[in-house]
Amino acid sequence: MSDEVPKPSQSESEGKIQHSEFASSISSQELLVQVESEHTLTSVNEIIIQNAKAYLLQQSPITNLNLYDHLSQVLTKVLDERPDNAVDIIEDISKKVKRSQFSKKMDTLRDEYENSMAYGLAEVQKSLFVKTVETEEGAAADHEEEVADTPLPNVMEMAYYFEQAGIGLSSDEMYRIFLALKQLVEAHPLQKCRFWGKILGINGNYIIAEVDFREGEEDAEELGEEEDAEGKEDDKEDFDRTEEEETEEPEDKPPESTYKPPPVIPKEENRSGTNRYTYFVCSEPAKPWVKLPPVTPAQITVARKIKKFFTGNLDAPVISYPPFPGNEMSYLRAQIARISAGSQISPLGFYQFGDEEEEEEEGSVRDNYEENPEFEGIATAELLDTMANWVHHTQHILPQGRCVWFNPVQKKEEDFEEEEEEEEREAPDEPEPEVGPPLLTPLSEDAEVNNIPPWAVKPSSILIPQYASALVRSNLWPGAYTFAIGKKFENVYFGWGHKYSPENYSPSSAPPVQAEYASGPDITEVDDPTVEEEQALRAALEERLAAAEEAEEEEEEEEEEDDDDN
Amino acid sequence: MQAEYLHQYLPLVASTGLVLSPEQRATLQVSLEIVKKNYKFSRVYFWGKILGLTADYFIVMGVETDELRGRKSLYSLNCMDWKLLPPATDEMIERSMRVKGRFMGDPSHEYDTISVKKNEEEMASLELKVKEEERLTATIEQINREAAIVPRGAFIKTPLEQIHKNRSFGGLSVTEAGKLQSYLHFTEPVILKKKSQLLQANLEDSVDFLNSLEDDELKVFWSLQYERGSKLVILQNLLWLGFIFFHVPETSQHGSIYMGLGERNIDFPFMI
């Protein structure tokens, strides 16, 4: 060791280090100890130099390099290559030297890990781009079906019009959604299919398709599910009910016990009212489509009272007050129903009512509309001009949570003739029927909320009005957009799924404390009588007794007198 | 986001459904160049769009030298004519916070707000008028303070205390991009918390001069999602619905945009 010492210290004073010196760097820590008196440097300076060198030789734990060696390599490189203006590019040279020190092992590890997520998604989405191969028999027929009457909407055309107005997703995302809808159409027997929109969530988003099954097909699927559900319900109801209860419609009548829960308002039948369409949801194109269950009025009424973000996970619980009956899947369905009812519009005349032969009964609501084959389109200028040229084509949801009012108080064996009598009687429990605006009302009839008009309409282009389309934005449901140009129109929703209100949301308060039992004289507490009262009472009693005795004595005397007389 | 890259970056932030129409994009491309020359900006950023009832505001930010402090905002109704907005003072912000409801779309509109001032003895209610322009600039300032973020390492502080773009920013790695602590609030730092020695070893003065998102007391304001597998990271602010920040990991592409109503989400605590 003592032989090696003079060399490093000599080269320090010269300012040059050869590669062979590297071996000695291992013993650098011992340099501190050895001090040669041969040199002209004073011992104090020597110690300072040794300290500085020791610091420079510290190895960085991240890269296993130390500054001393790095600087020596950089200077060697500069001296070997002799570039121009070395002082200006010294940092780059330093970086290059460092990079050449990198060990490749770390690189490959990182690469493998990084690709996994994108690769996984790409694998899943690959299925979108595969053209299904048909067998020879069905090939011709299916091909025709594919090309001609397909329920698949032309999503890209709609995307183009929306983009002109400043709405939409990026074009490749739209195309992937298009392909995903195509997969949906091929998997289920559908009559109509539409891209409803996208609802954003905290951890994931939902892509929603609005779908109308072919007549009869959906019922087959639904029956299986309903039978299971009803079977369970029936068992429960039998358990609660007494034998006297009629068994006709177990879902309508509450069980007869002293406690009468508020009657459950039944959900609307499929293909009518709030359940007019079925909805499928997926989180990304190519992921499996999940069918959302039909919505119940209870879910809609509670959804009106709460405001919660969607998380992106359909099974997540919705924790709120009032407690939401269901998980995120039902909350999503309820919000979709509310948004559809509030913001799906079309130009006046596109839809018309069907047969008008039947008279309108009181309280019945028209819920059938069909496309008007003679619709000729409304000029954009007129669409922009007044909201009377636009109509709602989805039914308004009543406060009850349904589109058609359901009378929860139902007496047994109701006849039509008796109804009038019952109404006249005006039973206190009879709720008033709720009425909403009829179908196909123009938007100009929509009420203003907080002095804000509920709709805002603008042209898609200011500079080129000849080909501009009209875009309507809903102010009540920010995120609901509709465009119309000529004979084409479409609704879409891109947003978080909540209604707009300038006032802040305040949760409903808890109901008042319920009375346990009716108050009556035998239960109500009365103060104990005081001493004076008791004495007075006793005195009064004694008086009465005394009076009674006197009266008896008098009677006896009278009887005796009578006897005496006789 | 930078105006030069508007065309490329817009599809990346389109996941909320609001984009710019081709007409607006074309107009912006032309008018932003003119703005840059007129106001002598070194870089122009397209800040976003605030939807009003009758018209929408397009907002643009220009930067002279210091990226953080030397910012000026301009607004326009048609992407062509730009007007400079006055810088927002705290008093302006306080007054605009009282205005509720949508932006009207008319810059000269005046809102009537009633402010109740509590002196020591009495309460006096004043009717204040807030102009829409003031509300606009106050909202922009608030969003910048609360929502604007940048990836760690994208901006550096020079020894002269100026904040510049970091030319050697190579992007965050995929795992780093998934952590909230890799993002910093792009606004004057409030208090840089004293971190333990262990964590301080990894900090660099030139890079970590801003508050990290991890230091926020409530990290729930942000929703972080990976799009396209891991090729794109999107952060959405839940307090200011409509604010999107995007970053492509392993590249230096990042940017943010606000497309929304311009109102703070006061119902946030109930919605989470």
Side-chain angles (χ1 to χ4, degrees):
Chain A
M1 256 192 290
S2 51
D3 294 329
E4 294 172 31
V5 165
K7 262 188 173 177
S9 41
Q10 241 179 13
S11 48
E12 256 186 59
S13 48
E14 288 169 8
K16 217 180 192 183
I17 292 192
Q18 322 271 337
H19 277 269
S20 53
E21 299 302 321
F22 279 4
S24 61
S25 65
I26 302 166
S27 58
S28 58
Q29 280 130 6
E30 281 115 17
L31 288 172
L32 276 170
V33 182
Q34 323 265 356
V35 178
E36 280 294 328
S37 52
E38 293 178 49
H39 302 277
T40 52
L41 298 167
T42 62
S43 54
V44 175
N45 279 346
E46 183 83 17
I47 290 177
I48 292 172
I49 290 174
Q50 307 290 9
N51 281 345
K53 186 171 173 186
Y55 168 70
L56 291 175
L57 280 162
Q58 265 178 354
Q59 268 192 351
S60 147
I62 304 172
T63 49
N64 282 340
L65 297 173
N66 61 43
L67 190 55
Y68 192 79
D69 297 335
H70 178 70
L71 281 175
S72 61
Q73 281 176 356
V74 170
L75 289 173
T76 314
K77 190 174 165 112
V78 167
L79 289 167
D80 286 340
E81 291 175 8
R82 310 243 168 197
D84 296 328
N85 297 333
V87 66
D88 292 327
I89 54 170
I90 190 70
E91 286 94 353
D92 287 325
I93 296 177
S94 164
K95 275 198 192 146
K96 276 193 200 145
V97 170
K98 265 196 196 163
R99 239 180 266 141
S100 66
Q101 294 273 5
F102 247 178
S103 54
K104 288 189 190 156
K105 205 172 158 192
M106 276 163 67
D107 269 339
T108 52
L109 269 180
R110 219 189 291 161
D111 274 348
E112 279 181 34
Y113 177 77
E114 302 287 10
N115 279 339
S116 58
M117 258 204 278
Y119 175 69
L121 186 65
E123 276 287 302
V124 171
Q125 291 194 333
K126 205 168 67 165
S127 63
L128 280 179
F129 298 95
V130 171
K131 179 134 175 76
T132 53
V133 177
E134 307 284 351
T135 61
E136 282 192 15
E137 298 169 4
D142 283 337
H143 184 68
E144 277 178 22
E145 215 182 271
E146 237 178 62
V147 171
D149 236 359
T150 166
L152 186 65
N154 191 348
V155 172
M156 294 316 286
E157 192 187 353
M158 301 302 168
Y160 166 76
Y161 284 114
F162 273 118
E163 199 198 348
Q164 294 296 311
I167 311 290
L169 308 171
S170 62
S171 55
D172 25 319
E173 193 170 349
M174 277 299 210
Y175 201 81
R176 280 199 293 267
I177 293 177
F178 196 10
L179 290 171
L181 283 177
K182 173 164 165 263
Q183 274 190 336
L184 182 67
V185 161
E186 282 166 5
H188 295 88
L190 304 176
Q191 188 173 10
K192 245 194 331 183
C193 173
R194 197 174 79 79
F195 173 54
W196 186 89
K198 180 170 174 184
I199 287 191
L200 307 168
I202 300 181
N203 297 326
N205 308 322
Y206 294 116
I207 296 173
I208 299 162
E210 183 183 82
V211 141
D212 202 5
F213 278 100
R214 278 192 222 138
E215 305 227 359
E217 299 276 351
E218 185 205 3
D219 296 337
E221 284 189 28
E222 284 285 325
L223 264 183
E225 297 172 17
E226 272 189 12
E227 273 174 7
D228 294 336
E230 253 188 27
K232 288 183 206 153
E233 272 186 38
D234 278 337
D235 291 335
K236 249 199 323 191
E237 292 252 353
D238 282 329
F239 200 66
D240 291 338
R241 260 184 286 129
T242 60
E243 291 173 341
E244 295 157 4
E245 190 78 25
E246 283 183 37
T247 57
E248 271 182 284
E249 291 168 344
E251 295 176 26
D252 287 346
K253 298 189 183 151
E256 246 180 15
S257 56
T258 47
Y259 168 60
K260 284 210 169 138
V264 174
I265 302 171
K267 67 177 196 238
E268 292 182 281
E269 288 298 308
N270 291 337
R271 309 177 127 252
S272 80
T274 45
N275 289 320
R276 173 88 177 77
Y277 295 105
T278 320
Y279 293 91
F280 280 86
V281 120
C282 82
S283 59
E284 281 235 29
K287 297 238 172 107
W289 288 95
V290 177
K291 187 159 104 162
L292 291 179
V295 67
T296 66
Q299 288 169 351
I300 291 191
T301 35
V302 177
R304 281 177 162 151
K305 295 185 190 150
I306 65 176
K307 196 169 177 184
K308 284 286 210 179
F309 275 125
F310 291 99
T311 59
N313 175 12
L314 283 173
D315 300 319
V318 176
I319 303 170
S320 64
Y321 183 76
F324 186 78
N327 52 13
E328 184 155 314
M329 203 175 348
S330 331
Y331 184 46
L332 181 65
R333 179 67 181 85
Q335 290 294 97
I336 293 176
R338 288 175 70 200
I339 293 173
S340 300
S343 64
Q344 305 270 322
I345 58 178
S346 56
L348 177 71
F350 190 90
Y351 288 116
Q352 70 185 11
F353 286 120
D355 306 329
E356 302 197 20
E357 296 168 359
E358 297 176 16
E359 274 186 22
E360 263 189 56
E361 291 182 7
E362 246 191 57
S364 81
V365 180
R366 277 196 200 140
D367 60 353
N368 285 322
Y369 54 85
E370 55 181 35
E371 276 187 39
N372 181 355
E374 296 149 24
F375 178 63
E376 283 180 1
I378 303 184
T380 308
E382 287 176 37
L383 285 174
L384 294 170
D385 196 23
T386 159
M387 296 315 290
N389 279 327
W390 299 85
V391 296
H392 285 279
H393 63 251
T394 30
Q395 279 177 304
H396 175 80
I397 302 186
L398 302 167
Q400 199 184 41
R402 292 168 49 113
C403 293
V404 175
W405 186 68
F406 173 76
N407 188 348
V409 180
Q410 283 209 351
K411 316 272 178 329
K412 305 171 195 174
E413 295 165 24
E414 216 172 63
D415 283 340
F416 269 98
E417 299 164 0
E418 286 185 18
E419 250 190 42
E420 294 175 17
E421 294 177 17
E422 286 183 20
E423 282 177 22
E424 284 173 2
R425 248 184 278 145
E426 283 185 19
D429 291 328
E430 193 92 14
E432 292 221 0
E434 299 162 7
V435 181
L439 205 56
L440 298 190
T441 37
L443 297 193
S444 44
E445 312 261 333
D446 280 359
E448 277 194 11
V449 179
N450 289 53
N451 295 333
I452 302 175
W455 303 93
V457 65
K458 273 177 30 178
S460 67
S461 152
I462 317 172
L463 299 172
I464 306 181
Q466 294 93 330
Y467 293 105
S469 59
L471 178 81
V472 179
R473 289 207 292 241
S474 167
N475 291 331
L476 283 181
W477 292 100
Y481 307 103
T482 312
F483 83 89
I485 179 169
K487 290 194 195 172
K488 297 201 213 316
F489 83 98
E490 184 59 85
N491 296 289
V492 85
Y493 182 85
F494 290 114
W496 295 87
H498 300 113
K499 198 169 191 176
Y500 172 76
S501 108
E503 302 300 323
N504 55 347
Y505 160 82
S506 39
S508 36
S509 48
V513 179
Q514 290 177 342
E516 279 181 82
Y517 34 75
S519 55
D522 48 339
I523 302 180
T524 39
E525 280 188 21
V526 183
D527 286 337
D528 279 343
T530 61
V531 182
E532 291 91 358
E533 283 178 17
E534 278 193 0
Q535 283 180 346
L537 192 61
R538 200 190 308 165
L541 265 176
E542 283 175 3
E543 273 183 32
R544 243 186 277 150
L545 271 175
E549 282 179 11
E550 279 183 17
E552 278 184 22
E553 285 178 10
E554 282 181 13
E555 279 183 20
E556 286 178 11
E557 284 178 9
E558 283 181 13
E559 285 179 10
E560 283 177 10
E561 283 180 11
D562 287 339
D563 286 337
D564 284 343
D565 287 338
N566 294 342
Chain B
M1 62 184 64
Q2 281 194 256
E4 290 90 26
Y5 304 126
L6 197 63
H7 218 83
Q8 288 167 267
Y9 289 167
L10 269 180
L12 298 174
V13 288
S15 53
T16 50
L18 281 171
V19 293
L20 293 177
S21 71
E23 179 187 325
Q24 289 161 353
R25 278 199 297 245
T27 327
L28 277 175
Q29 206 173 357
V30 167
S31 65
L32 288 185
E33 279 302 317
I34 300 177
V35 158
K36 189 167 163 181
K37 165 78 170 30
N38 284 348
Y39 289 90
K40 300 188 187 44
F41 290 137
S42 66
R43 203 169 295 118
V44 174
Y45 290 94
F46 180 69
W47 187 89
K49 190 162 119 172
I50 292 190
L51 307 176
L53 279 183
T54 47
D56 303 334
Y57 294 105
F58 295 88
I59 317 243
V60 134
M61 279 213 149
V63 157
E64 285 170 9
T65 42
D66 190 328
E67 295 268 350
L68 184 58
R69 291 161 202 141
R71 291 193 287 192
K72 293 198 189 146
S73 358
L74 297 100
Y75 78 96
S76 157
L77 290 162
N78 59 0
C79 292
M80 204 62 209
D81 312 310
W82 297 91
K83 297 176 202 98
L84 191 62
L85 277 175
T89 59
D90 282 334
E91 192 223 330
M92 241 195 266
I93 295 181
E94 203 206 311
R95 273 191 294 155
S96 328
M97 286 231 285
R98 287 202 205 93
V99 180
K100 289 189 204 173
R102 300 280 304 272
F103 276 86
M104 287 294 145
D106 171 20
S108 55
H109 180 90
E110 288 195 347
Y111 298 94
D112 293 321
T113 66
I114 301 181
S115 84
V116 178
K117 269 202 182 148
K118 254 194 227 170
N119 292 331
E120 283 164 358
E121 294 147 351
E122 50 182 39
M123 295 204 345
S125 71
L126 302 169
E127 278 206 12
L128 290 174
K129 287 198 182 282
V130 181
K131 286 211 298 191
E132 176 126 325
E133 263 193 17
E134 286 181 2
R135 188 179 171 202
L136 193 61
T137 179
T139 309
I140 296 174
E141 181 63 30
Q142 273 186 304
I143 293 180
N144 280 340
R145 278 191 201 166
E146 293 178 15
I149 52 174
V150 290
R152 179 173 172 268
F155 288 94
I156 46 173
K157 189 155 78 165
T158 63
L160 299 171
E161 302 276 318
Q162 293 225 322
I163 294 170
H164 284 171
K165 196 169 95 122
N166 183 359
R167 282 174 212 284
S168 50
F169 175 56
L172 302 171
S173 71
V174 175
T175 37
E176 271 179 32
K179 296 186 202 155
L180 280 181
Q181 73 193 44
S182 328
Y183 301 100
L184 310 172
H185 279 292
F186 196 56
T187 176
E188 294 290 332
V190 178
I191 301 174
L192 288 179
K193 249 171 38 179
K194 266 282 181 192
K195 293 215 169 128
S196 67
Q197 290 279 19
L198 191 63
L199 294 172
Q200 257 180 0
N202 283 337
L203 295 182
E204 268 184 50
D205 256 342
S206 59
V207 167
D208 287 298
F209 56 94
L210 299 168
N211 284 116
S212 152
L213 270 191
E214 184 93 346
D215 289 341
D216 278 351
E217 278 164 0
L218 296 170
K219 296 169 220 162
V220 288
F221 284 142
W222 294 94
S223 129
L224 196 154
Q225 287 181 27
Y226 281 100
E227 302 245 332
R228 309 179 186 201
S230 56
K231 290 298 171 205
L232 180 62
V233 173
I234 299 265
L235 271 96
Q236 295 189 44
N237 192 324
L238 301 173
L239 194 57
W240 293 96
L241 287 177
F243 183 87
I244 309 178
F245 169 84
F246 78 93
H247 174 53
V248 182
E250 306 286 325
T251 71
S252 68
Q253 294 177 18
H254 68 269
S256 56
I257 196 172
Y258 179 82
M259 299 266 227
L261 304 177
E263 288 182 57
R264 188 194 246 149
N265 180 15
I266 4 178
D267 304 330
F268 175 80
F270 294 111
M271 294 169 77
I272 271 292

